[in-house]
Amino acid sequence: MAEPYQIRSDFADEIISADIQSKTYEHIEKKNDYIRSNYIKVLCDENELGKHKGDYVSIECRDLDDHVVRENMIDAIQENLQHMSDNMHVTLKKILVVGLGNRFITSDALGPQAANEILVTAHLYEHEDPAYLKGTRNVAVLQPGVMGQTGLESLSIVQSVAQSYQPDLVIAIDALATRNIARINRVVQINNTGIQPGSGVGNHRMSLCEKSLHIPVIAIGVATVTSIGAILHETLEVSGEEKQHILQKIQDSNYLNLVVTPKSMDDELKHLVYIVSESLNRFLHPNYEQL
């Protein structure tokens, strides 16, 4: 008998529907008029969520076109980046920001485009008077591209740069896959467990994490795609058994893992890039808004 079709998701909170605690993870949900946040602490390596041990925060909104909503997203992301780095006991003197993804594919371009908007100061810290740089931190940015462009694993490139730059923290930005259509371009996940480049499009590469880099890592991921299988699972109005039978039949044709993104992706990407880069700049540089 064929194995049941498993819907792929990069988000830790997508199988949780209530505030519960189990032996393997803890979960708290908070809401206001503009956003909903889910806080998950995975306690064990073996867990129902299939995620690495660590902390995960998802921040979700309904309407990217609303300026107030975008500002609430930025504030929440900045606040959670600060809390996560504090809990990791990270010294924020030198930070390497890594924009993962393919800048030539819209649904995968979030990482490189957000990285383009980060205020880079590492070169100034080598030569300028420290008083001139007050209110900023030493920040470098890397856009390693994808293996099809460079022939190299992103991890290898990041490892080489990190060895030279010696950052206290690596922040990796990437596109992720969601199992819920309504969450595409509406949810950001922050974690301290790292990230696998290409995970959003099902092309998993070597993971960027503290174990592989020997440097603390915070990952920021945004849902920009979903799969055909996730769409069918969500929209088929049949019983669970019949739905699984249909999915298993289609699975044999390898169509279920095809990834899709909405036609509004071009416009919404601009908002997502602004939200991620603005929250990062405010987190990285204490006086960013006054610079």
Side-chain angles (χ1 to χ4, degrees):
M1 183 177 177
E3 289 291 322
Y5 175 69
Q6 299 294 323
I7 302 172
R8 186 170 55 84
S9 171
D10 293 319
F11 289 86
D13 66 335
E14 292 201 333
I15 62 169
I16 301 173
S17 59
D19 284 3
I20 58 174
Q21 291 190 0
S22 77
K23 293 181 180 179
T24 64
Y25 66 88
E26 298 172 354
H27 169 235
I28 297 173
E29 182 182 283
K30 296 181 181 179
K31 296 179 182 179
N32 64 26
D33 291 339
Y34 305 102
I35 61 173
R36 179 179 70 174
S37 300
N38 278 289
Y39 300 84
I40 296 174
K41 188 174 189 67
V42 177
L43 307 171
C44 310
D45 291 323
E46 297 294 326
N47 58 83
E48 303 98 309
L49 307 180
K51 300 299 178 186
H52 294 292
K53 182 179 178 181
D55 301 308
Y56 300 78
V57 181
S58 66
I59 303 160
E60 183 177 357
C61 68
R62 291 186 178 181
D63 185 8
L64 283 179
D65 293 326
D66 188 325
H67 173 74
V68 177
V69 171
R70 295 197 297 271
E71 290 302 316
N72 271 264
M73 289 285 287
I74 290 168
D75 289 343
I77 294 169
Q78 178 189 358
E79 179 181 331
N80 281 287
L81 285 170
Q82 190 64 57
H83 286 168
M84 193 165 285
S85 64
D86 289 345
N87 292 337
M88 294 167 71
H89 306 292
V90 176
T91 301
L92 293 175
K93 290 185 177 179
K94 297 177 72 175
I95 305 102
L96 176 62
V97 178
V98 181
L100 298 167
N102 187 337
R103 71 189 69 187
F104 301 111
I105 299 176
T106 306
S107 60
D108 197 33
L110 174 80
Q113 289 197 22
N116 277 340
E117 303 302 319
I118 300 301
L119 177 60
V120 176
T121 57
H123 58 305
L124 300 176
Y125 270 82
E126 292 186 5
H127 307 291
E128 297 289 347
D129 180 348
Y132 173 75
L133 297 168
K134 186 177 180 181
T136 70
R137 290 194 178 100
N138 188 324
V139 175
V141 168
L142 175 64
Q143 299 176 39
V146 294
M147 183 174 279
Q149 297 167 328
T150 65
L152 300 170
E153 285 275 2
S154 296
L155 175 62
S156 300
I157 298 172
V158 177
Q159 283 174 326
S160 298
V161 172
Q163 185 175 5
S164 172
Y165 179 56
Q166 293 290 304
D168 302 302
L169 174 68
V170 172
I171 299 177
I173 312 165
D174 203 3
L176 301 181
T178 174
R179 61 191 288 173
N180 186 326
I181 303 169
R183 298 186 101 196
I184 299 177
N185 296 342
R186 296 292 182 273
V187 60
V188 177
Q189 178 174 264
I190 306 168
N191 72 51
N192 58 10
T193 64
I195 201 163
Q196 280 188 305
S199 63
V201 293
N203 184 25
H204 296 274
R205 310 309 313 172
M206 296 176 69
S207 178
L208 274 69
C209 60
E210 186 168 3
K211 183 177 180 180
S212 62
L213 291 173
H214 307 293
I215 299 164
V217 175
I218 290 178
I220 302 175
V222 181
T224 62
V225 297
T226 190
S227 67
I228 295 293
I231 293 172
L232 289 174
H233 188 273
E234 192 172 349
T235 56
L236 283 174
E237 296 182 354
V238 294
S239 68
E241 185 176 338
E242 188 176 354
K243 184 182 295 187
Q244 194 59 238
H245 177 68
I246 294 170
L247 291 172
Q248 284 177 358
K249 288 187 67 176
I250 303 174
Q251 187 175 10
D252 295 336
S253 305
N254 293 320
Y255 292 144
L256 292 183
N257 291 323
L258 292 176
V259 295
V260 294
T261 197
K263 63 181 181 180
S264 58
M265 188 68 225
D266 289 276
D267 293 330
E268 294 184 338
L269 180 63
K270 298 174 185 176
H271 291 318
L272 294 170
V273 167
Y274 170 74
I275 288 169
V276 172
S277 62
E278 187 71 10
S279 57
L280 265 175
N281 276 322
R282 295 181 191 180
F283 164 68
L284 294 169
H285 304 294
N287 290 353
Y288 177 75
E289 293 178 272
Q290 286 76 49
L291 296 175

